[in-house]
């Protein structure tokens, strides 16, 4: 067994918009495919080009799709009894980008799809993302790192657009 220590760089953007407005903007920028149908369609694809077309048709305006949504705030609200405790974790991604990283470094599959956390804090609504390039960098593959940096930039743009 081996262990590798990695640095983490968290990107955070704070919005003065309401939690509900930030969530609605974020949800509007990513696609919400029916995952069962999406996976069935991918499995039925006969060629790579056909599969790529299915994926491209399943992406939102941001180039990302939602894989999962976890309402962490629902658990917090039960504990503290307050009506407003917003905290939602999204798993989002683009299978074609994931494929590019994993093609160069199989371990990069541990970090995709990516997590975006949107939560209410005293200073506003925070959108947070741990940059994938900091996980991929120690793996020593420049091609995977290039893809990871591009992914980081795309997620950063998404968060900034949603925050304003």
């Amino acid at each position: 067994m081996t262990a590798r220590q990695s640095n983490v760089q968290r990107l955070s953007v704070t919005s003065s918009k309401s939690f509900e407005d930030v969530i609605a903007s974020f949800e509007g920028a990513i696609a919400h495919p029916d995952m069962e149908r999406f996976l069935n369609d991918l499995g039925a694809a006969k060629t790579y080009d056909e599969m790529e077309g299915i994926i491209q048709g399943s992406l939102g305006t941001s180039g990302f799709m939602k894989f999962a949504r976890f309402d962490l705030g629902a658990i917090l609200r039960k504990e503290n009894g307050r009506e407003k405790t917003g905290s939602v974790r999204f798993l989002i991604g683009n299978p074609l980008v994931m494929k590019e990283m994993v093609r160069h470094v199989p371990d990069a599959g541990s970090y995709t799809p990516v997590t975006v956390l949107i939560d209410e804090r005293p200073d506003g609504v925070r959108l947070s993302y741990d940059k994938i390039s900091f996980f991929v960098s120690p793996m020593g593959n420049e091609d995977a790192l290039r893809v990871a940096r591009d992914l980081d930039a795309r997620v950063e743009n998404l968060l900034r657009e949603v925050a304003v």
Side-chain angles (χ1 to χ4, degrees):
M1 178 182 281
T2 60
R4 181 183 307 172
Q5 184 173 343
S6 294
N7 293 324
V8 176
Q9 184 177 20
R10 175 159 281 199
L11 170 70
S12 292
V13 179
T14 303
S15 177
S16 60
K17 294 179 1 184
S18 73
F19 179 76
E20 293 77 14
D21 286 346
V22 170
I23 292 292
S25 294
F26 188 81
E27 292 265 17
I30 60 174
H32 304 268
D34 174 325
M35 290 309 285
E36 185 175 345
R37 180 175 176 217
F38 175 74
L39 294 173
N40 285 338
D41 290 349
L42 286 183
K46 304 258 188 280
T47 66
Y48 178 82
D49 287 342
E50 186 179 344
M51 182 198 67
E52 186 175 28
I54 293 165
I55 293 169
Q56 292 291 357
S58 299
L59 299 173
T61 58
S62 63
F64 295 111
M65 68 172 63
K66 178 177 81 174
F67 287 88
R69 174 187 165 143
F70 305 99
D71 186 354
L72 308 174
I75 297 166
L76 294 169
R77 287 187 297 277
K78 293 289 184 192
E79 178 190 47
N80 65 26
R82 294 190 346 231
E83 284 185 31
K84 292 198 89 162
T85 304
S87 182
V88 178
R89 178 181 177 213
F90 289 91
L91 291 180
I92 66 167
N94 178 325
L96 299 172
V97 173
M98 293 187 284
K99 181 245 338 159
E100 279 304 303
M101 274 196 296
V102 171
R103 183 166 62 106
H104 298 296
V105 177
D107 287 344
S110 295
Y111 308 110
T112 58
V114 301
T115 291
V116 172
L117 178 66
I118 302 175
D119 64 323
E120 291 180 299
R121 301 200 186 179
D123 62 339
V125 177
R126 184 88 44 96
L127 298 94
S128 301
Y129 164 72
D130 294 339
K131 290 187 168 189
I132 297 303
S133 59
F134 279 84
F135 295 114
V136 172
S137 181
M139 297 175 190
N141 184 291
E142 286 301 315
D143 292 325
L145 185 57
R146 178 187 44 75
V147 174
R149 285 180 176 146
D150 180 63
L151 175 60
D152 288 344
R154 292 173 62 193
V155 173
E156 182 175 350
N157 288 338
L158 171 62
L159 298 187
R160 290 188 190 288
E161 289 174 11
V162 166
V164 294

